[in-house]
Each structure stands twice: as C-alpha cells, then as structure tokens.
Amino acid sequence: MAEDCLFCKIARGEIPVDKLYEDDDLVAFRDIAPQAPQHFLVIPKKHLAGPNAIAVEDEPLIGRIMAAGARLARENGVESFRFVVNEGEEAGQTVFHFHLHVLGGRAMDWPPG
Ligand code: AMP
C-alpha cells in the first residue's frame, strides 16, 4: 500500500466509491467520469504502479482482475465490452496504480484515439 496513492485509499475504504465488488485482493467500482454507459474499474488492493510493475508473482492476481472484469460485465448486463489498461502518460495513464477499465453499452471505435 502506498500512503498517498488515490486507488490505495479507495482500496482501504478511505474514499467513497460506487463499489460493485470487493474481496481480499480486488476492488471494482464505477469510474467517476464514465466514458461509456457502463464504465467501471477493477484494481488490485496491492499497489502496483501499472503493467510495467507486474512481477511473476503478481500474474495470478492480474488474471483474477481480468476474470472479475468479465464476470462483473456479464452481471451488469454487458455482453460486449472493452478492456483498457494504460501504461504511462502518453498512453493516457493518470492514476499510477494498476487498473483495468471495463467499458460497454455503446459501439467502440477501432483503433482507439
Ligand atoms: P487512467 O487515465 O487510465 O489512469 O484512468 C484513471 C481513471 O480513474 C479515470 O477514468 C478517472 O475518471 C478514474 N477516477 C479517478 N478518480 C476516481 C474516483 N475517486 N472514483 C472513481 N474513479 C476515479
């Protein structure tokens, strides 16, 4: 856990969110600035700055995040969805704690802007 990390604070329950799911390792909550009718984030409670910080020991955790994202999409009536994970500012990362975006409920463009 990083003291000043926004998503660590959310994982610790210090900042209120619209939570969809929580267990010992993960939290899923709706994005505060949704970019689609359905837009939520799945984060590990463990602080990982982003994809580049994933160690071999974290790989099962990242797999659980992907599986939870798909399951929560289905449970919220989203059959077709997009996963997005940003690494670095040029890619659009603004919060430096790993998070899986799950977006659905509208047609998506390809390639992304
Ligand atoms: P990224 O740009 O990939 O780092 O994504 C960070 C995401 O976190 C953005 O989509 C923000 O809207 C979202 N976000 C930031 N603060 C909060 C918050 N307090 N609750 C929910 N989502 C947040």
Side-chain angles (χ1 to χ4, degrees), residues 6-7 29-33 41 86 92-95 99 101:
L6 175 64
F7 284 0
F29 52 96
R30 294 197 182 279
D31 197 290
I32 203 168
L41 305 173
N86 295 319
Q93 188 177 12
T94 60
V95 178
H99 48 284
H101 292 262

Side-chain angles (χ1 to χ4, degrees), residues 96-112:
F96 291 85
H97 178 124
F98 183 98
H99 48 284
L100 174 69
H101 292 262
V102 184
L103 300 126
R106 66 166 170 82
M108 302 280 164
D109 293 329
W110 191 263

